[in-house]
Amino acid sequence: MERFASRRRCLIPENFFNIRPLLPSLPPPPLHPVTGSPLVPEDLRAIFAPGFVAHEAATETLVPVPAKAMEVLELWRPTPLVRAVGLERHLGVKSRILYKYEGVSPTGSHKSNTAVVQACLAAADGVGALVTETGAGQWGSALAHACTRFGLRTKVFMVRASFRQKPGRKAMMNLFDAEVVESPSASTASGRAASAGDPDHPGSLGIAISEAVEEVVTGGCAKYALGSVLDAVLMHQTLIGQEALAQLREMGCEPDVVIGCVGGGSNFAGLAFPMLGEVLKGRMKCRFVAVEPEACSSLIRGSLRYDNGDCAGLTPLLYMHTLGRDFVPPPIHAGGLRYHGMAPLVSHCVASGLVEPLALGQDEVFRAARAFLNAEGILPAPESAHAVAAAIREALEAERQGFAMTILFNLSGHGLFDMSAYAS
Amino acid sequence: MERFASRRRCLIPENFFNIRPLLPSLPPPPLHPVTGSPLVPEDLRAIFAPGFVAHEAATETLVPVPAKAMEVLELWRPTPLVRAVGLERHLGVKSRILYKYEGVSPTGSHKSNTAVVQACLAAADGVGALVTETGAGQWGSALAHACTRFGLRTKVFMVRASFRQKPGRKAMMNLFDAEVVESPSASTASGRAASAGDPDHPGSLGIAISEAVEEVVTGGCAKYALGSVLDAVLMHQTLIGQEALAQLREMGCEPDVVIGCVGGGSNFAGLAFPMLGEVLKGRMKCRFVAVEPEACSSLIRGSLRYDNGDCAGLTPLLYMHTLGRDFVPPPIHAGGLRYHGMAPLVSHCVASGLVEPLALGQDEVFRAARAFLNAEGILPAPESAHAVAAAIREALEAERQGFAMTILFNLSGHGLFDMSAYAS
């Protein structure tokens, strides 16, 4: 088998893939946070741009990629599908290990996929600014970059733990002209309530989301953008899995297991859902593994129930695996995985037995990152390193049992902007 | 015209393009630094790996890309050729502005092209380690990354001014397991002589090259790697121009002017030489502009004569535009352009009237970087911003004269690792 599927023979998909029409059952609908009744598009339009709400409500399996978004996506897509021959050799396994590499995007992670689409949709709707939150800074950077390309202003509430650990990410957002605010901040009621006067409160994604949503609701002209969790965001990321399917076909192989790390769930779903679609149509057989950090394991340690996506209870109630909206995760390095909830579609797939959850400790994950760097010459983002570690586990277990399989994982971003985390 | 040449229909070239056989005349040959007689391959093998020396001595127009190097290059090549529609609109010009974007490489610049080839050749020759110098850190990062992929150790002498300004670049090299030494260092005779006891001597590329070469000559098992200047390095970079030619054909256009920034000259030559080859064959008409910083302008303020590539006089004497090997450039932000000399082939093309030199001041260059970021959503490396500024000049001048032309420049790297320079 070739080490690479030739990128030049793979096309960027013209449509996003919507898994919902293919699922045997759907998760319970989102509820209005105040009335408790099922959300209607009008409710969402109070927060999100109309074009985004239309994507969230999509009922077709294929939803066209906007032409102006495609112009930007072409800068780095299709992304490479790579056979990790160096890692296979390092592990001494017969299994084939493949990774889809999203670190070639302008801000170094898969987040740029949905950021470009959301900025494009907002600009088409005449929205002047997007407000969001960011944990590790990947999402904030991606959105700031995308907004620059579509002439939108950006405001980012950045979780304090990351704000202080990652000045480079803040500087990057500032370069893209984004206003970056340390969260919990004193400028919103949610921020003041969450910090309770503690200026060193580490913050959380849940708190930062509350602040961003509050800013949009009380402001007016800006809309909110979310980097994961919602169906539309997962759908935007399916460019990854659709490309990978075409590239796998070109390589003449099918995966036995597909792996992604999960914080909100979008990079995992982006790779897995198009393949799960094939499985549901009976065209393919394959396992799916969603990997979380042990310190913030909503799929395994959380409960499946309605909860808010944010801390203050301003966002819709989502039916998902949650550690509780007021859970403040420990300051692990994989800041992008420090989230109390999970995408309802990923939660539903886990509850339905279509996807297996796996929680891994930080030491194993860092050892995997190091091994991958040495064997493949790419430093994974701390988040993506969870997927690397799970792929290594699968390969070693198959070897122990004496068989070979094809393992595919999503290398959702590089770690070149997270060197302080690796250094410590 | 499409905004993009489709990358999927462009192939990575199978050969490097060697301009030498096509030039009407050649520059005087390199001389041995001690004997003063023309260099023979044996002399070079004292410093460089044999495979690299063979590339330096190549007489054919096409030299095959090693298969194992191709496997790595495929991670990000072909790179996009983009029409800067945002910049055209911002400037209000009729001219078409195109850029070849090398910032998609693993370390964010064109340097990874030759780094991968040099590491590949050294590994094939059984060399255990490569020693080099770095200014801004782009070359050192690129080589450290490439060495990781081919199982080689790396030692980098880093110019002190950058070492102190850019801790992120140093951290990146350390991550790739490179040993990074502040230059001038106390560990070599050249370093001790250059610093003359001043622990805050800012250093220069010339001094750092001396230290690296001295380390190789007095050490033994390691070889030296150079990131620019030499014919072979320029030849490795011609992947850029060959791809661009194919992409321009696909877009159905030809450039009227081709622009690149020059420090040692490799990114400029990489884009320009394949097109200059077409011009020399009478198949194309086009101007070529090499852009330098005013503060370190060897092509315009230097003299064309034999000089050493380094400060201590350990490297061969090269016939080139030079500010003098003991010139210590002011600490401008574009650290990669702080070099006293110039690639002999670029110098020769300037002296022959095939290439026009242009020197630009730092303020104009930074304004261009800012305009490009706002219009195109990509932050150029401070070095590459010189090419952006020159492209803007060409477009505005054409507009003033009432005509439209096609301007192509090399966006040799992104500036995401140089944010401290932009911030200050």
Side-chain angles (χ1 to χ4, degrees), chain A residues 235-253:
Chain A
M235 186 178 78
H236 296 160
Q237 295 293 355
T238 59
L239 298 178
I240 302 171
Q242 291 182 78
E243 285 177 12
L245 268 176
Q247 290 166 315
L248 287 164
R249 279 190 201 116
E250 195 194 320
M251 286 171 146
C253 75

Side-chain angles (χ1 to χ4, degrees), chain B residues 226-397:
Chain B
L226 187 63
S228 189
V229 178
L230 296 176
D231 294 1
V233 178
L234 273 53
M235 186 178 80
H236 296 160
Q237 295 293 354
T238 59
L239 298 177
I240 301 171
Q242 292 181 78
E243 285 177 12
L245 268 175
Q247 290 166 316
L248 287 164
R249 279 190 202 114
E250 196 196 318
M251 285 172 146
C253 75
E254 280 191 2
D256 296 299
V257 58
V258 173
I259 299 168
C261 65
V262 285
S266 74
N267 96 70
F268 167 78
L271 178 64
F273 280 4
M275 310 209 180
L276 180 55
E278 294 299 288
V279 169
L280 292 171
K281 288 181 203 156
R283 292 186 194 159
M284 208 169 116
K285 271 188 149 178
C286 167
R287 288 165 52 225
F288 298 93
V289 179
V291 195
E292 313 179 294
E294 264 173 7
C296 191
S297 160
S298 45
L299 287 174
I300 293 176
R301 290 211 226 150
S303 53
L304 182 59
R305 61 179 171 86
Y306 273 111
D307 196 5
N308 296 98
D310 69 324
C311 176
L314 302 178
T315 68
L317 288 156
L318 301 173
Y319 195 79
M320 61 182 178
H321 287 91
T322 176
L323 293 161
R325 73 183 203 205
D326 48 5
F327 176 79
V328 176
I332 56 168
H333 291 303
L337 306 182
R338 292 177 71 241
Y339 184 59
H340 68 277
M342 180 56 60
L345 281 177
V346 173
S347 282
H348 187 69
C349 288
V350 168
S352 319
L354 296 170
V355 170
E356 308 163 27
L358 174 69
L360 296 179
Q362 193 159 268
D363 285 353
E364 178 175 350
V365 168
F366 269 56
R367 280 198 308 276
R370 190 82 218 173
F372 193 79
L373 172 65
N374 289 337
E376 292 289 316
I378 295 176
L379 179 72
E383 293 80 7
S384 321
H386 287 73
V388 178
I392 290 175
R393 274 202 181 194
E394 291 281 346
L396 293 177
E397 179 57 23

Side-chain angles (χ1 to χ4, degrees), chain B residues 14 18 82-83 99 102 111 152 252 259 270 283:
Chain B
E14 288 174 8
N18 180 9
V82 187
R83 181 166 174 191
Y99 59 95
E102 292 293 309
K111 294 286 187 187
L152 302 176
I259 299 168
R283 292 186 194 159

